[in-house]
Amino acid sequence: MPNPMPNAALPHRLPRLRRLLALATDNWLARGYLAVVAVGVLVMVVFPDSGFAQSPMMLTAPLSFAPVVFPFGPGTEGGGAVEVFAVGFWAVWLLVCALVNAAVVGALVTRSAAAATEGAGAARPRPRGVRDLLAPAVDNWLARGYLAVVAASLGFFLWAAYLSPDPGFAGIWPLMATAPFSFFAVLVAGPAEWVSSLAWLSPLLFSAVAALAGLFNAVLLGRLAHRLRARETRPAV
């Protein structure tokens, strides 16, 4: 008798993919975000040497920075086939990042709309504290995996900043991992870097704010994971 498990698993995956696409396209805020990303890509193509050429990477952060660990990307040398593969991979990954971010935005909008709709009926329990607000950052594999990446990048940065004789550009890893809100970490840690007597404090300030940025991103990813798991209730036929 054939094993029905592979066929049974497939129907569970396709609805989640459709749900992801629906969250990324079914509300005006998510569609507006995708439109801004499309404009950024157009600016990058038309004005590749301008200061706005990196806007697609920033707009689709933090996932858009993941391919930097690969030894290829736009501008890779080695022949036509290699360059086409590198550019194609980058374009597909950028699209995936944009859809995921748009779905995160869509999940927030959908949650707010659902709360407003149900507000007229039975009152829903509100989050009772910080623990409830942060629960989406730790109760699913997607957010936990992201937090593990953030922790590794911050650990490497602190080791390089305080123990390595040449820290180099170690701060780029937590900066990319917790983007776009890691920009605030640079603003907070910058003044301490300018004062020689407080220079030792700058890495700690940067790490603290970057950790908060990563936690905020994890909460958003966790809410997205909850929305993807949610099934639409339909009457039995």
Side-chain angles (χ1 to χ4, degrees):
M1 182 177 179
N3 185 4
M5 291 302 295
N7 292 333
L10 185 59
H12 293 286
R13 297 175 182 175
L14 291 180
R16 291 186 181 182
L17 178 59
R18 289 195 294 266
R19 184 62 175 162
L20 175 68
L21 294 177
L23 288 172
T25 57
D26 280 358
N27 59 89
W28 65 268
L29 191 58
R31 290 194 295 268
Y33 165 77
L34 291 177
V36 172
V37 174
V39 172
V41 172
L42 179 62
V43 171
M44 179 192 66
V45 173
V46 177
F47 306 103
D49 297 326
S50 69
F52 299 98
Q54 297 299 321
S55 58
M57 293 284 289
M58 296 301 300
L59 290 171
T60 55
L63 296 178
S64 58
F65 288 117
V68 299
V69 301
F70 298 126
F72 56 84
T76 300
E77 299 180 357
V82 175
E83 294 177 7
V84 169
F85 171 78
V87 174
F89 173 83
W90 180 82
V92 171
W93 182 253
L94 188 71
L95 176 61
V96 170
C97 295
L99 288 175
V100 170
N101 285 1
V104 170
V105 174
L108 293 177
V109 173
T110 303
R111 183 174 183 271
S112 300
T117 302
E118 297 177 5
R124 298 183 62 189
R126 295 178 178 272
R128 290 174 293 181
V130 177
R131 183 176 180 179
D132 292 336
L133 292 174
L134 299 182
V138 294
D139 62 4
N140 61 92
W141 67 267
L142 182 62
R144 288 195 297 264
Y146 169 73
L147 285 179
V149 173
V150 172
S153 66
L154 286 173
F156 174 74
F157 166 70
L158 289 173
W159 171 84
Y162 288 109
L163 300 177
S164 175
D166 183 17
F169 295 96
I172 195 65
W173 300 111
L175 187 67
M176 293 188 300
T178 59
F181 300 103
S182 55
F183 175 74
F184 295 103
V186 178
L187 293 180
V188 171
E193 186 71 24
W194 301 333
V195 181
S196 58
S197 60
L198 297 177
W200 64 273
L201 188 60
S202 180
L204 290 179
L205 292 175
F206 176 84
S207 298
V209 179
L212 291 177
L215 186 61
F216 183 76
N217 286 348
V219 170
L220 297 182
L221 286 176
R223 289 185 175 180
L224 173 61
H226 292 171
R227 286 293 171 182
L228 293 180
R229 286 202 305 263
R231 298 180 181 178
E232 298 179 0
T233 56
R234 297 180 179 180
V237 180

